[in-house]
Amino acid sequence: MPNNEQVNQLLNQLVALPPEALFLFLLGAAAAGIGLLWIARRSQARKQLQKREIEKFQAVCRLVENQRQEVSFLQSRLQSLESYVDRLNAHQQRVLDSASQRRQRLDDAIGIAGRCADDIELSSRAGVSPSEAKLIARLYRGPAASS
């Protein structure tokens, strides 16, 4: 920091300058001040732009993270649904197999209906219920043959 004597000496030198030189000095000082102000504003604008860019980047990062979590949830949900579909397919296959076996037992019962003496024998040989055996006997042996 300059002391008072140095400041006085500078002022005396400035006063001793011709008016044109003093004017040019003040013009130069004003231009330097305007230049520094422009640089400061530009720097501030650059900092604000960087801040906005950082905020945008952070918003994109949050969005990506939210989407990653949603994709992860959807993947687990998809796996769960695939497992459920697999169980349904297995159940459907068991039902189809059961229906096929049932149809086979009924076909067997129809095939042997004429060879069985009574409904109980037909039921035990074909693996059908007594009421089914009675119905098959009536349909395929005629009403006189059923007991």
Side-chain angles (χ1 to χ4, degrees), residues 33-57:
I34 292 172
L36 289 174
L37 181 63
W38 180 77
I39 290 172
R41 285 189 180 172
R42 186 175 168 128
S43 175
Q44 184 181 14
R46 189 176 301 129
K47 286 179 183 178
Q48 287 176 349
L49 180 63
Q50 287 175 342
K51 182 180 176 183
R52 283 194 304 267
E53 291 297 321
I54 289 171
E55 289 171 354
K56 285 180 186 178
F57 179 74

Side-chain angles (χ1 to χ4, degrees), residues 81-100:
L81 290 172
E82 286 174 340
S83 172
Y84 182 69
V85 167
D86 289 344
R87 288 194 315 264
L88 284 177
N89 286 337
H91 179 71
Q92 180 184 19
Q93 189 59 47
R94 285 192 305 272
V95 168
L96 290 174
D97 291 346
S98 174
S100 175

